[in-house]
C-alpha cells in the first residue's frame, strides 16, 4: 500500500456496524457492561474492552491505530497535546537521578519542559550541534533517553537519525524522536532505528489548526534492560509492548492527559489528507525560500531545501527530497522584523505551525521570550529573525505578500 492510500485505508479497523464511512465520535466518558463479571474481566485485561475515556476510547483508538500503522510502530497512545506526548514518553523511562541527552535548537516548549524536569531531579544535557560526537560526549551512566527532533524547530538542524539511533543502541539508551515537523510523509524514524516517535498532532497531522493533540508511537524494537529501566519492570510480561502498556496503564491513567474523542475525530479527518497537503506545502516552502533569497532586504534565509544549507545533502537523503514547511529569514533588526510581520496581508502572525494558512512569528519575543540572549542564540533564535510556516495558498500570492511587506522596511 502506498502512502496516500495508507492514509485512507491503512489499519482503519473493523467496519462500523451502521456503515459509517468516517470514524464515529464516541462522545462518552465511560462504557457499560451487562454483568459485574464482564467488567471485572475487562479491568484485569482478560477481555478487551473500553472502560473510561481517560484510559481508552474507540474514536481515540481508531486514530492511534492509524498513526501506529503509518509510523510502522506496534502501538500508539494519543494524548491531550504534543507536550503531554513528550512528557509522558520520557517519564515512562526516566526518574529522579536520571539524565537526558537532547539536541539543542529544539522547540521552545520542550526546552521549557526539560527545565521543569530539573525540579524532579532529572537533568538534561544538550548536544551543542547535531554531530554524533556532541551527543556521545554527554552520555553518562545515568543517561536513559536521547531526544532529537527530525528538523530542529527553529534552528532547522537536521540530525542523522540512523547514526544517532546506532549510537543509542550501542549504549543501551532509548532514542525518542519528535517528528512533528516532518510527519510520516517525509520520514519514518522507526525505520531508521528510533525506539519511540512523538508528534504534536496539533500541527501538520491535523493540518488546519482546529485542535490540540499529541501521540506517542512505540517501535516495539527497544532492547529493554530492566535493571537499567526499573520503571518498566512491572510490565515485563507484555514483552515488546511493555513500554506502551506502562504508558497507557500508568502514566496516561494517572496524569489524565488523554485526547478527547472529538479531537481524535478532527485529527483523523485531517490525517487523511496529509499526503497532498505536505506535498503542496513542501513545494510552496522551497519556492518561497528561493524567492526570498533574491530579495535584497533579506539578509539570510535558512531552509534545508536550499543547496547552500549545510544540511541539504543529509535532508535530501533522509527526507526523500522534501524539506518541510518551515523556513526562517533574518532582516537586520527587530524593528524590521516587526514591520514585515505587521505588513503581511495573508500570512498570519501566530505561534502555531502546520496550518492551511501561512503563519509567521517573531520567535525571540514570543515562544523564546523567557530565555536570555545567549540561550536564544544557542537555540538559533535571533532578534531580527522571522519564522515562516508555509501554508496551502497559491505560492505566487505568498511570494507577492512577502515582497510587498519587505518593501516597507
Ligand atoms: C508544537 C510542538 C510541540 C508541542 O505540541 P503542542 O501540541 O502544542 O503541545 C512539540 N514539538 C514540536 C516540534 C512542536 O512544533
Amino acid at each position: 500500500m502506498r502512502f496516500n492510500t495508507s492514509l485512507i485505508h491503512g489499519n482503519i479497523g473493523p467496519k462500523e456496524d451502521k456503515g459509517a464511512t468516517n470514524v464515529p465520535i464516541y462522545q462518552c466518558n465511560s462504557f457499560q457492561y451487562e454483568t459485574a463479571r464482564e467488567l471485572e474481566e475487562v479491568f484485569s485485561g482478560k477481555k478487551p474492552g473500553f472502560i473510561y475515556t481517560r484510559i481508552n476510547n474507540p474514536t481515540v483508538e481508531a486514530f492511534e491505530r492509524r498513526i501506529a500503522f503509518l509510523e510502522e510502530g506496534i502501538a500508539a497512545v494519543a494524548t491531550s497535546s504534543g507536550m503531554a506526548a513528550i512528557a509522558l514518553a520520557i517519564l515512562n523511562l526516566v526518574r529522579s537521578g536520571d539524565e537526558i541527552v537532547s539536541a539543542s535548537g529544539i522547540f521552545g516548549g520542550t526546552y521549557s519542559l526539560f527545565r521543569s524536569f530539573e525540579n524532579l531531579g532529572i537533568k538534561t544535557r544538550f548536544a551543542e550541534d547535531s554531530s554524533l560526537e556532541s551527543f556521545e560526549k554527554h552520555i553518562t551512566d545515568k543517561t536513559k533517553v536521547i531526544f532529537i527532533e527530525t528538523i530542529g524547530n527553529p534552528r532547522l538542524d537536521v540530525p542523522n537519525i540512523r547514526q544517532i539511533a546506532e549510537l543509542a543502541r550501542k549504549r543501551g539508551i532509548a532514542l525518542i524522536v519528535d517528528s512533528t515537523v516532518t510527519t510520516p510523509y517525509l520520514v519514518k524514524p522507526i525505520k531508521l532505528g528510533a525506539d519511540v516517535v512523538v508528534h504534536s498532532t496539533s500541527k501538520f497531522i491535523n493540518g488546519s489548526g482546529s485542535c490540540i493533540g499529541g501521540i506517542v508511537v512505540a517501535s516495539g524494537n527497544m532492547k529493554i534492560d530492566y535493571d537499567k529501566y526499573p520503571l518498566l519492570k512491572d510490565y515485563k510480561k507484555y514483552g515488546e509492548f511493555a513500554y506502551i502498556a506502562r504508558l497507557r496503564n500508568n502514566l496516561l491513567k494517572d496524569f489524565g492527559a488523554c485526547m478527547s474523542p472529538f479531537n481524535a475525530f478532527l485529527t483523523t479527518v485531517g490525517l487523511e489528507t496529509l499526503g497532498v497537503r505536505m506535498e503542496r506545502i513542501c513545494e510552496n516552502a522551497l519556492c518561497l525560500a528561493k524567492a526570498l533569497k533574491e530579495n535584497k532586504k533579506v539578509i539570510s534565509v535558512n531552509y534545508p531545501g536550499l543547496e547552500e544549507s549545510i544540511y541539504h545533502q543529509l535532508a535530501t537523503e533522509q527526507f526523500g527530497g522534501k524539506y518541510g514547511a518551515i523556513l526562517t529569514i533574518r532582516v537586520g533588526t527587530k524593528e524590521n522584523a516587526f514591520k514585515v510581520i505587521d505588513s503581511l496581508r495573508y500570512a498570519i502572525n501566530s505561534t502555531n505551525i502546520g496550518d492551511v494558512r501561512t503563519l509567521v512569528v517573531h520567535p525571540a519575543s514570543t515562544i523564546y521570550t523567557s530565555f536570555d540572549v545567549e540561550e536564544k542564540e544557542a537555540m538559533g533564535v535571533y532578534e531580527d529573525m522571522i519564522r515562516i510556516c508555509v501554508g496551502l495558498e497559491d505560492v505566487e500570492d505568498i511570494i507577492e505578500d512577502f515582497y510587498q511587506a519587505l518593501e516597507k522596511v
Side-chain angles (χ1 to χ4, degrees):
M1 203 186 304
R2 293 167 184 81
F3 189 77
N4 285 297
T5 312
S6 69
L7 289 172
I8 295 161
H9 299 288
N11 202 17
I12 54 174
K15 280 219 164 56
E16 282 304 327
D17 57 2
K18 301 281 189 297
T21 50
N22 269 307
V23 59
I25 307 171
Y26 285 86
Q27 193 63 45
C28 58
N29 61 7
S30 64
F31 299 83
Q32 61 178 340
Y33 289 88
E34 289 304 317
T35 64
R37 172 62 48 83
E38 233 185 318
L39 190 53
E40 183 193 33
E41 285 173 354
V42 174
F43 247 85
S44 67
K46 285 202 187 93
K47 198 177 156 176
F50 298 96
I51 300 169
Y52 193 63
T53 290
R54 171 153 47 74
I55 304 162
N56 57 6
N57 172 284
T59 315
V60 179
E61 191 187 89
F63 174 61
E64 292 167 338
R65 211 166 39 220
R66 290 169 79 155
I67 295 281
F69 180 81
L70 286 168
E71 288 289 10
E72 303 191 29
I74 53 164
V77 167
T79 56
S80 55
S81 68
M83 286 319 303
I86 296 168
L88 299 190
I90 293 173
L91 291 175
N92 206 30
L93 297 170
V94 169
R95 61 181 185 176
S96 181
D98 291 341
E99 294 181 359
I100 300 163
V101 173
S102 171
S104 48
I106 56 169
F107 176 66
T110 309
Y111 251 109
S112 173
L113 174 71
F114 289 163
R115 219 160 42 176
S116 298
F117 276 170
E118 301 264 333
N119 301 323
L120 303 177
I122 299 162
K123 185 179 166 60
T124 304
R125 298 171 184 269
F126 291 97
E128 290 71 30
D129 54 48
S130 55
S131 71
L132 205 55
E133 301 73 55
S134 69
F135 281 89
E136 191 153 25
K137 77 174 193 225
H138 290 290
I139 294 175
T140 71
D141 290 346
K142 297 174 182 161
T143 311
K144 299 294 166 70
V145 163
I146 297 178
F147 181 89
I148 59 172
E149 291 179 358
T150 47
I151 304 179
N153 164 17
R155 210 165 70 182
L156 308 182
D157 289 357
V158 179
N160 188 320
I161 301 170
R162 197 189 294 277
Q163 272 184 10
I164 295 174
E166 276 167 17
L167 169 67
R169 182 120 321 175
K170 205 172 68 195
R171 304 293 293 263
I173 299 165
L175 174 65
I176 301 182
V177 179
D178 182 338
S179 186
T180 299
V181 302
T182 37
T183 80
Y185 182 71
L186 267 68
V187 67
K188 299 183 179 189
I190 287 173
K191 284 174 75 176
L192 301 177
D195 296 299
V196 176
V197 176
V198 292
H199 287 281
S200 165
T201 61
S202 323
K203 314 292 174 51
F204 299 95
I205 287 181
N206 173 299
S208 59
S210 66
C211 69
I212 300 284
I215 199 157
V216 182
V217 188
S219 68
N221 301 328
M222 202 174 145
K223 299 266 176 297
I224 306 167
D225 172 349
Y226 288 94
D227 292 326
K228 183 165 182 170
Y229 293 99
L231 292 175
L232 295 177
K233 244 180 188 156
D234 287 348
Y235 291 83
K236 203 172 168 177
K237 64 174 186 231
Y238 293 97
E240 60 182 1
F241 290 92
Y243 175 87
I244 210 78
R246 181 175 193 267
L247 191 68
R248 184 180 302 284
N249 297 317
N250 186 308
L251 293 182
L252 187 72
K253 183 167 133 285
D254 291 357
F255 285 87
C258 58
M259 179 178 275
S260 82
F262 187 61
N263 287 357
F265 170 78
L266 290 175
T267 312
T268 303
V269 171
L271 176 66
E272 292 180 334
T273 59
L274 178 70
V276 284
R277 287 188 285 102
M278 288 304 287
E279 187 179 346
R280 165 80 170 222
I281 281 172
C282 293
E283 263 173 36
N284 278 1
L286 184 59
C287 269
L288 180 66
K290 285 181 176 164
L292 290 176
K293 227 179 70 179
E294 301 304 318
N295 191 298
K296 291 193 178 54
K297 303 281 176 64
V298 177
I299 291 161
S300 63
V301 182
N302 186 11
Y303 184 61
L306 294 176
E307 272 167 32
E308 62 265 34
S309 162
I310 55 168
Y311 297 110
H312 185 67
Q313 185 68 27
L314 173 61
T316 304
E317 290 162 18
Q318 199 162 259
F319 307 137
K322 305 265 190 333
Y323 309 95
I326 302 173
L327 56 139
T328 61
I329 58 172
R330 293 182 65 177
V331 290
T333 62
K334 178 180 174 181
E335 289 64 39
N336 286 354
F338 273 33
K339 193 84 182 244
V340 171
I341 290 171
D342 294 349
S343 307
L344 287 163
R345 284 197 289 247
Y346 299 131
I348 288 166
N349 181 25
S350 164
T351 56
N352 191 21
I353 57 170
D355 202 323
V356 292
R357 290 152 269 270
T358 296
L359 307 171
V360 291
V361 73
H362 181 251
S365 64
T366 56
I367 308 167
Y368 298 87
T369 185
S370 69
F371 297 94
D372 62 39
V373 173
E374 213 169 276
E375 287 174 311
K376 281 181 195 171
E377 296 200 350
M379 291 185 263
V381 175
Y382 302 92
E383 290 302 321
D384 66 336
M385 190 179 94
I386 301 171
R387 184 186 75 189
I388 305 165
C389 187
V390 181
L392 298 176
E393 301 94 336
D394 292 301
V395 73
E396 296 82 357
D397 287 327
I398 307 174
I399 293 169
E400 279 169 25
D401 194 18
F402 277 92
Y403 264 68
Q404 65 80 24
L406 284 158
E407 232 149 71
K408 308 275 165 38
V409 307

